[in-house]
Amino acid sequence: MASSAWSRRRMRRAVRRGLTDFEVRLRSSRPGIGFVARITATVLTEPPYPAASEELAAAVRGILRKAAADVAVACDPADLATARDVVGEHLRAKRSLSTDPPVEFRASLMLDLPPDDQAAVAALLSAQRRQAVTDILRRQAAEAVASELADPVALLVRWVEREDADWSKLSTALADADKVAEVFARYRPEHERTVEHQVLEVLREFLASFPESSQKLMLYTLLAAGMESAQRPQHALKAQTLLNGHAPSVLAGDP
């Protein structure tokens, strides 16, 4: 009996040695960049006796390596703290080995990036920052040019500044400037592509669809009255002020 108990203790120690601080290389969400993990498993039930401790430990290691790999492949190596939490939480779940009786176990790990992979992550982030700056500058330049060319006057200025500008074709240039400016006026930067801006565009088109000055004056008056009815007196006052300031030109027939 004493010999049997000693054998069991020896087996438990052997299994524990085989499941302590074993290493595994794990792929990350970034191709070519991976984690290195050191896993320690804790056996929660008595190992079956007289099963071979090496085979038992190898089976547990195989299950835990696969479990860690399944989760780590979705983790970003640039966010190591989150990767540690996600993989660590996954390995803390209780698992079992289909022996008779079943062996239950769970595990903890230490997750890190090898030096070469740390350098690769740093290079990747640096490249992403450079690309982000390039994209922002390109987008700002495009927005600035589009904003300028949405004004027919700005287009005409560019035409006049050309060395080969033919003043006999000025009337054609005026018509072309209106057409080109209309195209650029449809462009909106990303921050202006909201529902509110789209509503303003619809409202602008609606007001422009009434060419008569008397119609425009009536619509502006209704707009101010609607704001007053909606209990927005400050907005109604602003609209009324604009109406009072533009009423003479509207009545004179200005579009």
Side-chain angles (χ1 to χ4, degrees), residues 65-106:
R65 282 181 171 132
K66 184 178 184 308
D70 290 344
V71 177
V73 72
C75 294
D76 188 348
D79 187 0
L80 188 57
T82 299
R84 285 170 174 158
D85 289 343
V86 170
V87 182
E89 181 66 25
H90 188 60
L91 291 190
R92 278 194 291 273
K94 186 185 296 184
R95 292 175 171 79
S96 63
L97 199 62
S98 57
T99 54
D100 187 19
V103 174
E104 295 183 346
F105 57 92
R106 60 165 50 99

CSV table of all heavy atoms in Angstrom, one decimal, residues 65-106:
chain,number,residue,atom,x,y,z
A,65,ARG,N,-1.8,23.9,-26.0
A,65,ARG,CA,-1.1,24.6,-27.2
A,65,ARG,C,-2.2,24.9,-28.2
A,65,ARG,O,-2.2,26.1,-28.8
A,65,ARG,CB,0.0,23.7,-27.7
A,65,ARG,CG,1.3,23.8,-26.9
A,65,ARG,CD,2.3,22.9,-27.5
A,65,ARG,NE,3.6,23.1,-26.8
A,65,ARG,CZ,4.4,22.1,-26.4
A,65,ARG,NH1,4.0,20.8,-26.7
A,65,ARG,NH2,5.5,22.3,-25.8
A,66,LYS,N,-3.0,24.0,-28.6
A,66,LYS,CA,-4.0,24.3,-29.6
A,66,LYS,C,-5.0,25.3,-29.1
A,66,LYS,O,-5.4,26.2,-29.8
A,66,LYS,CB,-4.8,23.0,-29.9
A,66,LYS,CG,-5.8,23.2,-31.1
A,66,LYS,CD,-6.5,21.9,-31.4
A,66,LYS,CE,-7.4,22.1,-32.6
A,66,LYS,NZ,-8.3,23.2,-32.5
A,67,ALA,N,-5.4,25.2,-27.8
A,67,ALA,CA,-6.4,26.2,-27.3
A,67,ALA,C,-5.8,27.6,-27.3
A,67,ALA,O,-6.5,28.6,-27.7
A,67,ALA,CB,-6.7,25.9,-25.8
A,68,ALA,N,-4.5,27.8,-27.0
A,68,ALA,CA,-3.9,29.1,-27.0
A,68,ALA,C,-3.7,29.6,-28.5
A,68,ALA,O,-4.0,30.7,-28.8
A,68,ALA,CB,-2.5,29.0,-26.4
A,69,ALA,N,-3.4,28.7,-29.4
A,69,ALA,CA,-3.2,29.0,-30.8
A,69,ALA,C,-4.5,29.5,-31.4
A,69,ALA,O,-4.5,30.4,-32.2
A,69,ALA,CB,-2.6,27.9,-31.6
A,70,ASP,N,-5.6,28.9,-31.1
A,70,ASP,CA,-6.9,29.2,-31.6
A,70,ASP,C,-7.3,30.6,-31.3
A,70,ASP,O,-8.0,31.3,-32.1
A,70,ASP,CB,-8.0,28.2,-31.1
A,70,ASP,CG,-7.8,26.8,-31.7
A,70,ASP,OD1,-7.1,26.7,-32.7
A,70,ASP,OD2,-8.4,25.9,-31.1
A,71,VAL,N,-6.9,31.1,-30.1
A,71,VAL,CA,-7.3,32.5,-29.7
A,71,VAL,C,-6.2,33.5,-30.1
A,71,VAL,O,-6.6,34.6,-30.5
A,71,VAL,CB,-7.5,32.5,-28.2
A,71,VAL,CG1,-7.8,33.9,-27.7
A,71,VAL,CG2,-8.6,31.6,-27.8
A,72,ALA,N,-5.0,33.2,-30.0
A,72,ALA,CA,-3.9,34.1,-30.3
A,72,ALA,C,-3.9,34.6,-31.7
A,72,ALA,O,-3.5,35.8,-32.0
A,72,ALA,CB,-2.6,33.5,-29.9
A,73,VAL,N,-4.4,33.8,-32.6
A,73,VAL,CA,-4.3,34.2,-34.1
A,73,VAL,C,-5.2,35.4,-34.4
A,73,VAL,O,-5.0,36.0,-35.4
A,73,VAL,CB,-4.7,32.9,-34.9
A,73,VAL,CG1,-6.2,32.7,-34.8
A,73,VAL,CG2,-4.3,33.1,-36.4
A,74,ALA,N,-6.1,35.7,-33.5
A,74,ALA,CA,-7.0,36.8,-33.7
A,74,ALA,C,-6.5,38.1,-32.9
A,74,ALA,O,-7.1,39.1,-33.0
A,74,ALA,CB,-8.4,36.5,-33.3
A,75,CYS,N,-5.4,37.9,-32.2
A,75,CYS,CA,-4.9,39.0,-31.3
A,75,CYS,C,-3.9,39.9,-32.1
A,75,CYS,O,-3.1,39.4,-32.8
A,75,CYS,CB,-4.3,38.5,-30.1
A,75,CYS,SG,-5.5,37.7,-29.0
A,76,ASP,N,-3.9,41.2,-31.8
A,76,ASP,CA,-3.0,42.1,-32.4
A,76,ASP,C,-1.7,42.2,-31.6
A,76,ASP,O,-1.8,42.6,-30.4
A,76,ASP,CB,-3.7,43.5,-32.5
A,76,ASP,CG,-2.9,44.5,-33.3
A,76,ASP,OD1,-1.7,44.2,-33.6
A,76,ASP,OD2,-3.4,45.6,-33.6
A,77,PRO,N,-0.6,41.9,-32.2
A,77,PRO,CA,0.7,42.0,-31.4
A,77,PRO,C,1.0,43.4,-31.0
A,77,PRO,O,1.8,43.6,-30.1
A,77,PRO,CB,1.7,41.4,-32.4
A,77,PRO,CG,1.1,41.7,-33.8
A,77,PRO,CD,-0.3,41.5,-33.6
A,78,ALA,N,0.4,44.4,-31.6
A,78,ALA,CA,0.7,45.8,-31.2
A,78,ALA,C,0.0,46.1,-29.9
A,78,ALA,O,0.3,47.1,-29.2
A,78,ALA,CB,0.3,46.8,-32.3
A,79,ASP,N,-1.0,45.2,-29.5
A,79,ASP,CA,-1.7,45.4,-28.2
A,79,ASP,C,-1.5,44.2,-27.4
A,79,ASP,O,-2.3,43.3,-27.2
A,79,ASP,CB,-3.2,45.6,-28.5
A,79,ASP,CG,-4.0,46.0,-27.3
A,79,ASP,OD1,-3.4,46.1,-26.2
A,79,ASP,OD2,-5.2,46.1,-27.4
A,80,LEU,N,-0.3,44.1,-26.8
A,80,LEU,CA,0.2,42.9,-26.1
A,80,LEU,C,-0.6,42.7,-24.8
A,80,LEU,O,-1.0,41.6,-24.4
A,80,LEU,CB,1.7,43.1,-25.7
A,80,LEU,CG,2.3,41.8,-25.1
A,80,LEU,CD1,2.2,40.6,-26.0
A,80,LEU,CD2,3.8,42.1,-24.9
A,81,ALA,N,-1.0,43.8,-24.1
A,81,ALA,CA,-1.8,43.7,-22.9
A,81,ALA,C,-3.1,43.0,-23.1
A,81,ALA,O,-3.5,42.1,-22.4
A,81,ALA,CB,-2.0,45.0,-22.3
A,82,THR,N,-3.8,43.4,-24.2
A,82,THR,CA,-5.1,42.7,-24.5
A,82,THR,C,-4.9,41.3,-24.9
A,82,THR,O,-5.7,40.4,-24.5
A,82,THR,CB,-5.8,43.5,-25.6
A,82,THR,OG1,-6.1,44.8,-25.2
A,82,THR,CG2,-7.1,42.8,-26.0
A,83,ALA,N,-3.8,41.0,-25.7
A,83,ALA,CA,-3.6,39.6,-26.1
A,83,ALA,C,-3.3,38.8,-24.8
A,83,ALA,O,-3.8,37.6,-24.8
A,83,ALA,CB,-2.4,39.6,-27.0
A,84,ARG,N,-2.6,39.3,-23.9
A,84,ARG,CA,-2.4,38.5,-22.6
A,84,ARG,C,-3.7,38.2,-21.9
A,84,ARG,O,-3.9,37.1,-21.4
A,84,ARG,CB,-1.4,39.3,-21.7
A,84,ARG,CG,0.0,39.3,-22.2
A,84,ARG,CD,0.8,40.3,-21.4
A,84,ARG,NE,2.3,40.2,-21.7
A,84,ARG,CZ,3.1,41.1,-21.5
A,84,ARG,NH1,2.7,42.3,-20.9
A,84,ARG,NH2,4.4,41.0,-21.8
A,85,ASP,N,-4.6,39.2,-21.8
A,85,ASP,CA,-5.8,39.0,-21.2
A,85,ASP,C,-6.7,38.0,-21.9
A,85,ASP,O,-7.3,37.1,-21.2
A,85,ASP,CB,-6.6,40.4,-21.1
A,85,ASP,CG,-6.0,41.3,-20.1
A,85,ASP,OD1,-5.1,40.9,-19.2
A,85,ASP,OD2,-6.3,42.5,-20.1
A,86,VAL,N,-6.8,38.1,-23.2
A,86,VAL,CA,-7.7,37.2,-24.0
A,86,VAL,C,-7.2,35.8,-23.9
A,86,VAL,O,-8.0,34.9,-23.6
A,86,VAL,CB,-7.7,37.7,-25.4
A,86,VAL,CG1,-8.4,36.7,-26.3
A,86,VAL,CG2,-8.5,39.1,-25.5
A,87,VAL,N,-5.9,35.6,-24.2
A,87,VAL,CA,-5.4,34.2,-24.2
A,87,VAL,C,-5.4,33.6,-22.8
A,87,VAL,O,-5.7,32.5,-22.6
A,87,VAL,CB,-4.0,34.1,-24.8
A,87,VAL,CG1,-3.5,32.7,-24.9
A,87,VAL,CG2,-4.0,34.7,-26.2
A,88,GLY,N,-5.0,34.5,-21.8
A,88,GLY,CA,-5.0,34.0,-20.4
A,88,GLY,C,-6.4,33.6,-19.9
A,88,GLY,O,-6.5,32.5,-19.3
A,89,GLU,N,-7.4,34.4,-20.2
A,89,GLU,CA,-8.7,34.0,-19.9
A,89,GLU,C,-9.2,32.7,-20.5
A,89,GLU,O,-9.9,31.9,-19.9
A,89,GLU,CB,-9.7,35.2,-20.2
A,89,GLU,CG,-11.1,35.0,-19.9
A,89,GLU,CD,-11.4,34.9,-18.4
A,89,GLU,OE1,-10.5,35.5,-17.6
A,89,GLU,OE2,-12.4,34.3,-17.9
A,90,HIS,N,-8.8,32.5,-21.7
A,90,HIS,CA,-9.2,31.3,-22.5
A,90,HIS,C,-8.6,30.1,-21.8
A,90,HIS,O,-9.2,29.1,-21.7
A,90,HIS,CB,-8.8,31.4,-23.9
A,90,HIS,CG,-9.3,30.3,-24.8
A,90,HIS,ND1,-10.6,30.1,-25.0
A,90,HIS,CD2,-8.6,29.4,-25.5
A,90,HIS,CE1,-10.8,29.0,-25.8
A,90,HIS,NE2,-9.6,28.6,-26.1
A,91,LEU,N,-7.3,30.2,-21.4
A,91,LEU,CA,-6.7,29.0,-20.8
A,91,LEU,C,-7.1,28.7,-19.4
A,91,LEU,O,-6.9,27.6,-18.9
A,91,LEU,CB,-5.1,29.2,-20.9
A,91,LEU,CG,-4.5,29.2,-22.2
A,91,LEU,CD1,-3.0,29.1,-22.1
A,91,LEU,CD2,-5.0,28.0,-23.1
A,92,ARG,N,-7.7,29.7,-18.7
A,92,ARG,CA,-8.1,29.5,-17.3
A,92,ARG,C,-9.4,28.6,-17.3
A,92,ARG,O,-9.7,28.1,-16.2
A,92,ARG,CB,-8.4,30.8,-16.6
A,92,ARG,CG,-7.1,31.5,-16.1
A,92,ARG,CD,-7.4,32.6,-15.1
A,92,ARG,NE,-8.0,33.8,-15.8
A,92,ARG,CZ,-7.3,34.7,-16.4
A,92,ARG,NH1,-6.0,34.7,-16.3
A,92,ARG,NH2,-7.9,35.8,-16.9
A,93,ALA,N,-10.0,28.4,-18.4
A,93,ALA,CA,-11.2,27.6,-18.4
A,93,ALA,C,-10.9,26.1,-18.1
A,93,ALA,O,-9.8,25.7,-18.5
A,93,ALA,CB,-11.9,27.7,-19.8
A,94,LYS,N,-11.7,25.5,-17.4
A,94,LYS,CA,-11.5,24.1,-17.1
A,94,LYS,C,-11.6,23.2,-18.3
A,94,LYS,O,-12.6,23.3,-19.0
A,94,LYS,CB,-12.4,23.6,-15.9
A,94,LYS,CG,-12.1,22.2,-15.4
A,94,LYS,CD,-13.2,21.8,-14.4
A,94,LYS,CE,-13.2,22.7,-13.2
A,94,LYS,NZ,-14.2,22.2,-12.2
A,95,ARG,N,-10.7,22.3,-18.5
A,95,ARG,CA,-10.7,21.3,-19.6
A,95,ARG,C,-10.5,19.9,-19.0
A,95,ARG,O,-10.1,19.8,-17.8
A,95,ARG,CB,-9.6,21.6,-20.6
A,95,ARG,CG,-9.9,22.9,-21.4
A,95,ARG,CD,-8.7,23.3,-22.3
A,95,ARG,NE,-9.1,24.4,-23.2
A,95,ARG,CZ,-9.1,25.6,-22.9
A,95,ARG,NH1,-8.8,26.0,-21.6
A,95,ARG,NH2,-9.5,26.6,-23.7
A,96,SER,N,-10.7,18.9,-19.8
A,96,SER,CA,-10.6,17.5,-19.3
A,96,SER,C,-10.0,16.7,-20.4
A,96,SER,O,-10.1,16.9,-21.6
A,96,SER,CB,-11.9,17.0,-18.9
A,96,SER,OG,-12.8,16.9,-20.0
A,97,LEU,N,-9.3,15.6,-19.9
A,97,LEU,CA,-8.7,14.6,-20.8
A,97,LEU,C,-9.5,13.4,-20.7
A,97,LEU,O,-9.9,12.9,-19.6
A,97,LEU,CB,-7.2,14.4,-20.4
A,97,LEU,CG,-6.3,13.7,-21.3
A,97,LEU,CD1,-6.1,14.6,-22.6
A,97,LEU,CD2,-4.9,13.5,-20.7
A,98,SER,N,-9.8,12.8,-21.8
A,98,SER,CA,-10.8,11.6,-21.8
A,98,SER,C,-10.1,10.4,-21.4
A,98,SER,O,-10.0,9.4,-22.2
A,98,SER,CB,-11.4,11.5,-23.2
A,98,SER,OG,-10.4,11.3,-24.2
A,99,THR,N,-9.6,10.4,-20.2
A,99,THR,CA,-9.0,9.1,-19.6
A,99,THR,C,-10.1,8.5,-18.7
A,99,THR,O,-11.2,9.0,-18.6
A,99,THR,CB,-7.8,9.5,-18.8
A,99,THR,OG1,-8.1,10.5,-17.8
A,99,THR,CG2,-6.7,10.0,-19.7
A,100,ASP,N,-9.7,7.4,-18.1
A,100,ASP,CA,-10.7,6.8,-17.1
A,100,ASP,C,-10.0,6.6,-15.8
A,100,ASP,O,-9.1,5.8,-15.6
A,100,ASP,CB,-11.1,5.4,-17.7
A,100,ASP,CG,-12.2,4.8,-16.8
A,100,ASP,OD1,-12.8,5.5,-16.1
A,100,ASP,OD2,-12.3,3.5,-16.9
A,101,PRO,N,-10.3,7.5,-14.8
A,101,PRO,CA,-11.3,8.5,-14.8
A,101,PRO,C,-10.7,9.8,-15.6
A,101,PRO,O,-9.5,9.9,-15.8
A,101,PRO,CB,-11.5,8.8,-13.4
A,101,PRO,CG,-10.2,8.5,-12.7
A,101,PRO,CD,-9.7,7.3,-13.4
A,102,PRO,N,-11.6,10.7,-16.0
A,102,PRO,CA,-11.1,11.9,-16.7
A,102,PRO,C,-10.2,12.7,-15.9
A,102,PRO,O,-10.4,12.8,-14.7
A,102,PRO,CB,-12.4,12.7,-17.0
A,102,PRO,CG,-13.5,11.6,-17.0
A,102,PRO,CD,-13.1,10.7,-15.9
A,103,VAL,N,-9.2,13.3,-16.5
A,103,VAL,CA,-8.3,14.2,-15.9
A,103,VAL,C,-8.7,15.7,-16.2
A,103,VAL,O,-8.7,16.1,-17.3
A,103,VAL,CB,-6.8,14.0,-16.3
A,103,VAL,CG1,-5.9,15.0,-15.7
A,103,VAL,CG2,-6.4,12.6,-16.0
A,104,GLU,N,-9.0,16.5,-15.2
A,104,GLU,CA,-9.4,17.8,-15.3
A,104,GLU,C,-8.2,18.8,-15.0
A,104,GLU,O,-7.4,18.5,-14.1
A,104,GLU,CB,-10.6,18.2,-14.4
A,104,GLU,CG,-11.9,17.4,-14.8
A,104,GLU,CD,-13.0,17.9,-13.9
A,104,GLU,OE1,-12.8,18.6,-12.9
A,104,GLU,OE2,-14.2,17.5,-14.3
A,105,PHE,N,-8.1,19.8,-15.8
A,105,PHE,CA,-7.0,20.8,-15.6
A,105,PHE,C,-7.4,22.1,-16.2
A,105,PHE,O,-8.3,22.3,-16.9
A,105,PHE,CB,-5.8,20.2,-16.4
A,105,PHE,CG,-6.0,20.0,-17.9
A,105,PHE,CD1,-5.7,21.0,-18.8
A,105,PHE,CD2,-6.5,18.8,-18.3
A,105,PHE,CE1,-6.0,20.8,-20.1
A,105,PHE,CE2,-6.8,18.6,-19.7
A,105,PHE,CZ,-6.5,19.5,-20.6
A,106,ARG,N,-6.6,23.1,-15.8
A,106,ARG,CA,-6.7,24.5,-16.3
A,106,ARG,C,-5.3,25.0,-16.3
A,106,ARG,O,-4.3,24.4,-15.8
A,106,ARG,CB,-7.6,25.4,-15.5
A,106,ARG,CG,-7.2,25.5,-14.0
A,106,ARG,CD,-8.0,26.7,-13.4
A,106,ARG,NE,-9.4,26.7,-13.6
A,106,ARG,CZ,-10.3,26.2,-12.8
A,106,ARG,NH1,-9.9,25.7,-11.6
A,106,ARG,NH2,-11.6,26.3,-13.0
